[in-house]
Amino acid sequence: MRPKQFPQAYGPARRRMATGATAALLGMAVAFGGPLAPSAAAADTVALTGIVLGVGADETQRTVSWYSSADTAQKIQVAPTARLSGGGFPADATTFDALGGANIASSGGYNRHATITGLKENTAYSYRVGGEGGWSATYSFRTQDFEGEYDFLFLGDPQIGSSGDTAEDQAGWADTLDVATRANPDAELLVSGGDQVESANNESQWNAFLAPDQLRQYPFAATIGNHDVGGKAYEQHFSTPNTDNSGAYYSNGNPGSNTSGGNYWYIYKDVLFIDLNSNSYSTSQGGGGDEAHTKYVTDVISKHGDEAKWKVLVYHHSIYSPAAHAKDGDNKARRVDFPTTFSELGVDLVLQGHDHSYTRSYLIKNGEKADPDEQPGTADVHPGPGGVLYVTANSASGSKYYDITKPDNSGTSGAGNGADPLKPENYWYNSVQNQEHVRTYVKVQVRDDKLVVENLRSGTCEAPNASVENGSWCDNTTADRPVGSVVDKVSIHPYHGDSQKLQVDVPDPAPGEFGWTIDGYNGLVDLGTAKEVGGDHFTATGRINPIVVSDTRRTLSPWSVSADVSDFRDAAKTFSGSYLGWSPYVLESGAGAEAGAPVASGYDDQGKGLSVSRGLGSAEQGHARGKAKLGAGLDLKIPDTARKGSYRATLTITALSS
């Protein structure tokens, strides 16, 4: 590419030239477009329903699952949203082939899923599913930074259909997602506490659960609840990463039966998430029971615990809950089986559902309160070695709430349900218990030096609140406790052992730039008065004003600086620029600079000299960042037929970089 000419040597340093030199600076701009509206719906030949965006193995991946009315080859098509035109995908949009099979659920049809890989950070993407038989509408999501702090939302027991009014349960669930994502638009994950529906294979309930568009915009990390486990619809609707579907993680020990199961894990930025099927808790059922789960958690943390700062476990059955399930025999068993292993492995936070009420435990170590003096509702907790915080989520839909029950005299450790000596109306293990019969959700802020857990109201006593509409009590006062207000908030500060840990955040380096300037004052390069030599030609010599090259780019891409000269003119008199040659050199090393090859005057070799572009200096791919100073000696030889005069020419400097 030829540069634009600037005939005068005025203006900023980057535009000043030797010998009236000119320069062109080359740049590149990248535009990011916003999300597009959904494209036209798929053709009627294949109905595509139940589309849900799922979490991937890490932040560079997403899964997508859906139902198809026909057994056809299908795929995901995905592209950066900015590259869509008029709702249409570019011809080179990336595709990912789908897997799946015939549905076992009573609705019939087929299930499909595929994983999107290779995502870039801070990018809006659009996607659709389908194939030749028709495409779905277009949906979008966006990635954020792949390092550093972020928020995720934990959602307890929508259990769509449990109130007897599926539509109202759906409305409450949709409203919670609206409230939560409006208040936290940059939240990066939706994490499930289980019990998506009331009846495991009821596709009307599943359709209501999957109706909100947030489930196609934010990655959803599913969890199996006791109301999801009794059929295959859960597995058909959700594809999860790193999933182990061994018989040990099924309550009946048989993955081929009409039940759902399996454990899985993933790492999202600085958090290792491990999700368990807590429906399998006893070997008498046929599966591996709690022992299989503790071994699984131990294995995953042993292999991947060092890859993340925080360890978060998720399962459905709350072992430290305050309501209808607090004294269940299976929860008492888990309360003995799990805590010691979790303490020994350095788990930071356990997220649970099942009891349709909110609780935040004291720090629990090896099945006991870690610090007997920890006060109820403490805003900042310091786990020390082995302390684990357990959180139970309330209903996110309002379909069903459980009332808090009273402690008994069964003890204040292990499986006991005795009273808290510091607050006798609470169970010994709970720092905070709450039930107002209003919808809530849990926001978790992942920070470098702490986890912040907040339980937030997403509703009031008013509709949509199916349980209250059906006659249950509600003691929320809207004026004092409105939507968005905080029920409870706690910060978990990590324990770093007996030593002191140091932390430093290393940001992305600035993209850097490549450029050049004339060193110092860009004065006229005066070759003086030519001298006649041999009676047939004149000679003159000099040096260009040095060129300072600066390259701070991360890419370490090649660069080159070249120049060519115009014809020499004095009014109507002229002679060719081909008579000018040069000898480049590096005055100051840096930025990988190497001098260009010498170029002879065209008078010597009948060549073109500097009348065509010649290299002054360059650097190869992978060179170090930095600065260099380039120079060149000039050698002018002209025939003595040139007429007397004061001639000038323009040396044009061109910088190229990739």
Side-chain angles (χ1 to χ4, degrees):
M1 178 183 296
R2 291 286 300 190
K4 182 178 179 181
Q5 300 262 334
F6 296 91
Q8 300 187 52
Y10 304 118
R14 286 188 181 276
R15 294 193 183 275
R16 285 188 234 155
M17 315 300 148
T19 329
T22 63
L25 300 181
L26 305 181
M28 179 172 64
V30 180
F32 294 92
L36 284 92
S39 64
D44 294 336
T45 51
V46 179
L48 304 167
T49 59
I51 300 168
V52 57
L53 184 70
V55 69
D58 59 31
E59 58 277 356
T60 71
Q61 299 184 6
R62 301 286 188 272
T63 61
V64 182
S65 304
W66 66 96
Y67 274 9
S68 169
S69 62
D71 189 14
T72 60
Q74 293 176 30
K75 62 189 67 179
I76 303 172
Q77 190 174 47
V78 61
T81 301
R83 297 197 58 223
L84 271 65
S85 177
F89 282 76
D92 61 348
T94 305
T95 60
F96 299 91
D97 291 335
L99 302 173
N103 283 337
I104 295 176
S106 58
S107 60
Y110 304 85
N111 61 85
R112 296 287 185 264
H113 63 269
T115 301
I116 301 170
T117 61
L119 296 172
K120 305 299 183 184
E121 61 184 351
N122 297 310
T123 304
Y125 287 95
S126 292
Y127 70 97
R128 60 181 182 175
V129 303
E132 292 184 1
W135 290 96
S136 71
T138 298
Y139 303 100
S140 63
F141 64 89
R142 64 185 176 94
T143 60
Q144 299 184 49
D145 287 341
F146 285 172
E147 298 288 343
E149 302 176 343
Y150 72 101
D151 300 342
F152 68 88
L153 308 180
F154 178 58
L155 301 150
D157 295 69
Q159 205 168 327
I160 304 299
S162 65
S163 73
D165 187 338
T166 296
E168 195 64 4
D169 294 349
Q170 174 185 335
W173 168 236
D175 193 56
T176 287
L177 290 178
D178 285 344
V179 167
T181 55
R182 280 199 307 269
N184 306 280
D186 294 327
E188 300 193 32
L189 301 174
L190 304 178
V191 179
S192 162
D195 276 3
Q196 278 71 214
V197 296
E198 169 72 8
S199 302
N201 279 336
N202 187 316
E203 289 298 337
S204 294
Q205 294 172 4
W206 279 107
N207 289 339
F209 170 79
L210 294 170
D213 277 340
Q214 286 88 347
L215 297 180
R216 283 160 287 285
Q217 299 165 345
Y218 295 82
F220 183 78
T223 299
I224 303 174
N226 58 297
H227 285 266
D228 307 315
V229 74
K232 282 295 186 188
Y234 173 90
E235 290 184 6
Q236 293 166 181
H237 279 297
F238 301 120
S239 174
T240 53
N242 301 316
T243 304
D244 190 334
N245 288 115
S246 301
Y249 312 123
Y250 283 73
S251 56
N252 63 5
N254 183 9
S257 64
N258 187 21
T259 60
S260 289
N263 292 347
Y264 73 96
W265 64 272
Y266 59 98
I267 294 176
Y268 195 89
K269 291 161 73 160
D270 281 336
V271 180
L272 170 61
F273 289 91
I274 303 176
D275 195 286
L276 306 177
N277 172 24
S278 58
N279 295 283
S280 176
Y281 73 94
S282 172
T283 55
S284 64
Q285 300 171 287
D290 287 343
E291 183 179 358
H293 292 312
T294 56
K295 182 179 184 303
Y296 178 85
V297 174
T298 301
D299 289 346
V300 172
I301 290 178
S302 174
K303 294 175 182 176
H304 304 285
D306 290 341
E307 299 172 31
K309 290 181 181 178
W310 305 97
K311 304 174 186 69
V312 175
L313 304 188
V314 187
Y315 53 80
H316 181 62
H317 295 80
S318 173
I319 64 175
Y320 295 120
S321 66
H325 294 301
K327 301 173 185 178
D328 289 354
D330 59 324
N331 270 343
K332 288 186 176 183
R334 296 184 191 91
R335 200 181 303 158
V336 172
D337 295 341
F338 283 169
T340 297
T341 297
F342 296 169
S343 292
E344 291 174 348
L345 292 173
V347 170
D348 298 291
L349 177 64
V350 179
L351 300 174
Q352 311 154 113
H354 192 49
D355 218 10
H356 298 245
S357 56
Y358 173 77
T359 61
R360 181 240 294 188
S361 76
Y362 290 111
L363 292 172
I364 304 295
K365 180 179 179 180
N366 301 333
E368 299 182 356
K369 187 178 178 183
D371 177 6
D373 295 328
E374 182 187 340
Q375 296 299 301
T378 299
D380 291 88
V381 296
H382 302 265
V388 182
L389 191 79
Y390 295 77
V391 170
T392 307
N394 185 32
S395 171
S397 69
S399 64
K400 181 195 295 183
Y401 307 105
Y402 288 138
D403 295 336
I404 292 173
T405 56
K406 294 184 180 298
D408 55 30
N409 60 0
S410 59
T412 55
S413 65
N417 287 101
D420 177 9
L422 301 177
K423 195 172 184 179
E425 64 269 29
N426 283 15
Y427 287 95
W428 67 266
Y429 40 74
N430 282 333
S431 174
V432 176
Q433 302 179 167
N434 176 266
Q435 181 58 276
E436 300 171 12
H437 284 207
V438 299
R439 295 178 278 112
T440 66
Y441 68 95
V442 175
K443 173 183 177 180
V444 180
Q445 302 173 51
V446 180
R447 300 296 179 259
D448 287 335
D449 60 342
K450 61 186 175 182
L451 295 176
V452 182
V453 181
E454 291 181 275
N455 187 42
L456 298 156
R457 297 177 179 89
S458 58
T460 65
C461 297
E462 302 301 319
N465 191 341
S467 176
V468 173
E469 292 173 69
N470 284 340
S472 73
W473 60 269
C474 182
D475 68 357
N476 172 270
T477 304
T478 303
D480 297 330
R481 294 173 286 178
V483 170
S485 58
V486 177
V487 175
D488 178 45
K489 181 176 181 179
V490 60
S491 295
I492 308 169
H493 300 270
Y495 176 73
H496 296 302
D498 296 328
S499 59
Q500 297 185 38
K501 288 195 174 181
L502 305 178
Q503 176 175 307
V504 60
D505 292 331
V506 179
D508 278 338
E513 61 179 15
F514 174 82
W516 64 271
T517 59
I518 307 299
D519 185 45
Y521 171 67
N522 183 23
L524 177 70
V525 178
D526 190 353
L527 301 181
T529 300
K531 297 180 180 179
E532 187 175 16
V533 178
D536 60 359
H537 70 280
F538 294 96
T539 65
T541 60
R543 288 181 172 83
I544 68 170
N545 293 315
I547 306 297
V548 177
V549 174
S550 176
D551 191 357
T552 59
R553 297 171 298 164
R554 296 173 58 194
T555 59
L556 306 181
S557 298
W559 61 262
S560 64
V561 175
S562 57
D564 60 277
V565 71
S566 68
D567 287 344
F568 286 76
R569 295 184 180 276
D570 177 11
K573 296 174 289 186
T574 183
F575 62 81
S576 174
S578 65
Y579 293 127
L580 182 66
W582 70 2
S583 298
Y585 50 83
V586 177
L587 274 165
E588 294 180 8
S589 298
E594 297 182 1
V599 176
S601 165
Y603 183 85
D604 289 333
D605 62 3
Q606 288 74 52
K608 295 184 177 181
L610 289 183
S611 66
V612 296
S613 182
R614 306 289 190 173
L616 175 62
S618 63
E620 296 181 348
Q621 173 68 43
H623 64 82
R625 288 184 279 184
K627 290 184 178 181
K629 188 179 292 186
L630 306 176
L634 299 175
D635 178 24
L636 179 66
K637 293 181 180 179
I638 54 177
D640 61 4
T641 55
R643 297 165 61 190
K644 180 181 177 180
S646 181
Y647 292 81
R648 287 194 181 187
T650 299
L651 186 70
T652 300
I653 311 295
T654 303
L656 297 175
S657 61
S658 57

